[in-house]
Amino acid sequence: QVQLVESGGGLAQAGGPLILSCAASGRTIELNVMAWFRQAPGKGREFVANIIRSSGNTSYADSVKGRFTISRDNAINTVYLQMNSLKSEDTAIYYCAGSRSYYGSRGDVYPYWGQGTQVTVSS
């Protein structure tokens, strides 16, 4: 079993920062790739970023490139999403996801998901 628990969401000011955390537990060997997705009200789920835990390789959606940074601390099985220069359109529920080997942006391929954390950006 794998458990993913997100934290750090809340209300942020436009232009400001916020950092999200995703703590993994259980069979973390299944989580070589970790990702963040988001879902805004009335919209579909959107890929944000992912990271290969072993190598540190990352990829980002164009909409967040240069503003968001994904990182990991393998010692404590935690992945972070540092969000800077926040915009109102970043308002969404943010989900952490994990995969043993898939390093892509398709959410339906990630087998492990957290419950999500709400991020609201006020202008």
Side-chain angles (χ1 to χ4, degrees):
Q1 288 284 6
V2 170
Q3 294 82 39
L4 301 175
V5 179
E6 303 96 335
S7 61
L11 182 64
Q13 294 291 323
L18 197 65
I19 184 165
L20 305 181
S21 300
C22 174
S25 61
R27 284 183 56 82
T28 57
I29 193 173
E30 297 289 326
L31 301 174
N32 192 41
V33 180
M34 297 292 293
W36 288 96
F37 288 79
R38 66 186 181 186
Q39 187 164 16
K43 295 189 176 181
R45 184 173 53 196
E46 175 190 21
F47 170 79
V48 176
N50 62 6
I51 186 167
I52 299 176
R53 292 177 66 210
S54 55
S55 67
N57 285 1
T58 59
S59 65
Y60 296 90
D62 288 343
S63 59
V64 305
K65 202 171 292 184
R67 299 189 298 123
F68 291 8
T69 302
I70 188 170
S71 62
R72 88 290 193 209
D73 185 338
N74 290 337
I76 57 172
N77 293 316
T78 299
V79 172
Y80 304 96
L81 185 68
Q82 174 70 52
M83 304 185 292
N84 295 326
S85 302
L86 283 165
K87 305 176 181 180
S88 57
E89 51 262 45
D90 294 320
T91 294
I93 300 174
Y94 283 71
Y95 297 92
C96 177
S99 167
R100 187 178 182 95
S101 60
Y102 175 68
Y103 182 57
S105 59
R106 286 182 53 184
D108 60 336
V109 184
Y110 286 83
Y112 305 110
W113 290 84
Q115 294 298 309
T117 185
Q118 175 72 48
V119 171
T120 303
V121 181
S122 64
S123 55

